[in-house]
Amino acid sequence: MSVPHVPLHVSGHVLLGDEREVGELWVREGRVSLTRGAPQGSATRELSGWVLPGLVDVHCHVGLDAGGAVDQEAAVAQALTDRDSGVLLVRDAGSPLDTRWVHDRADLPRLVRAGRHLARPRRYLRHFGLELDDVADLPGAARTQARDSDGWVKLVGDWIDREAGDLGPLWPRDVLADAVAAAHAEAARVTVHAFSEEVVGDLLAAGVDGIEHGTGIPAELMDEVAARGIPVTPTLLQVARFEEIAGQADGRYPRYAERMRRMHARRHEQVRALYDAGVPLLVGTDAGGTLGHGRVADECAELVAAGIPAPDVVAMASWRAREFLGFGDVVDGSSADLVVYPADPREDIEVLRHPTAVVLRGQVVLG
C-alpha cells in the first residue's frame, strides 16, 4: 500500500548546481516543481534551510560485511543507515549479494549496482568477489557482470601478492584491456580498485572509466588521468586504516607493510595533488566490508582536511556525482530527493552531520 504524498514547500537556499540556486521549490506527487504547483493557502508541509539534491556515495557495498554477503534484513539496515545520513543515491561498488530487489523498495536509496567484484584466488578478501582461476576468463566475466549490473563493472586491479610480499597487479595488461572492451560493448562502465603505482599505467592503457582509492597514482600520470576525465574516488576513511593493515603485515610482509604506511602518511597530500592536477574527485565511503555505513559526512570532512575546498566537496557529494551517474540536474519533474540542513555546509562541512530533513521520492523520511 503506497503512502499518500503530502505536498511540500521547500524554501531558503536551494542549491541545485555549481551556479544554480533558487529560493524555493515545491514537491507534489513525489516530483519537483520550480514554480508554484498548488494554490496558495492549500495544505502544504513547509521545510526550510539550506537544501541539497540528495547526497551520493559512489563507493559503497550494500549487502556486504567483513564476512561476505549478509542477509536481506541486514542489507536493508545498511541502506537505511545510508539514507538517514542524507545519502539518497548509492553506486554499489561490488557486492556478493544480489541486491536488485532494492530497486523495488521506495523507502531505500536509489541503487546503481556494479555486480560482483572480479578478482583472483588469494588475491583479494575472501568471500567478497567472484574469483577467477584463469586470468583469461576475465573478459567473459566482465561481460556477464555488465549484463547483470546497472551499467557498472568492478574489477580488483591490485592486491598483495604473497609470493612477492608486496602489492602487485592481478591481470596482464592485454587481458585487462579485453575485459574493459567487453564491458563497454555491453554499454557498461568499468571502475577498478587500485592501491599501487604499478597498476595505473595498465588502467590507462585499458581505458577504464574510474579509479577507486588511487593511493598510488604517480604525479607524472595525474595530468593524463585529468585530461581523460577519469574520476578518482579517494575513500579516505579506508586509506586511514592502512596503518592498521600495515601492523597486521609486519614480520611476514615487510615491503608491503612499509608501502601501506607510506601511502597512509601521504594520503592527504595525494588527494590534494590529484585535485590540483584537475582530476575529477568523487565521494565514496567504502562502507560495507570493514567500514560501517552512514559515514558520508566523515568522508567529506576528511576531504576538506586534505585541502579540498568545502564548496567543491559539497558539489562532489551531491549534484556532480548525480550527474556523473546519469541522474542529471534537478529540473521540473525530477524526483524529489533532497536533504535539508540548518546552515550552509559550504561554509562548514560539519553541517553535513546534522540534516534536519531528508526527502526521498517526495516523502519526508527523516525530520
Side-chain angles (χ1 to χ4, degrees), residues 11 72 97 102 178 206 213 232 239 282 322 350:
S11 62
Q72 185 167 323
L97 182 70
V102 172
D178 288 346
H213 316 298
V232 174
V239 180
L282 298 171
R322 295 179 67 83
E350 293 296 316

Side-chain angles (χ1 to χ4, degrees), residues 10-17 20-25 47-53 319 338-346:
V10 182
S11 62
H13 301 268
V14 185
L15 311 177
L16 302 180
R20 293 183 67 214
E21 178 178 338
V22 299
E24 58 187 345
L25 59 76
L47 298 175
S48 184
W50 277 258
V51 185
L52 301 180
W319 54 82
L338 308 166
V339 191
V340 184
Y341 295 97
D344 190 346
R346 298 170 301 176

Side-chain angles (χ1 to χ4, degrees), residues 132 198 231 238 248 333:
L132 307 179
E198 293 87 337
Q238 184 62 265
Q248 296 168 356

Side-chain angles (χ1 to χ4, degrees), residues 242-243 246-247 250 256-265:
F242 280 13
E243 175 63 39
D250 277 335
Y256 169 75
E258 191 279 330
R259 187 201 292 247
M260 298 299 279
R261 286 196 171 95
R262 185 171 65 250
M263 293 190 296
H264 175 268

Side-chain angles (χ1 to χ4, degrees), residues 215-229:
T215 47
I217 298 174
E220 60 269 22
L221 290 180
M222 289 182 184
D223 287 343
E224 183 175 353
V225 175
R228 295 193 187 191

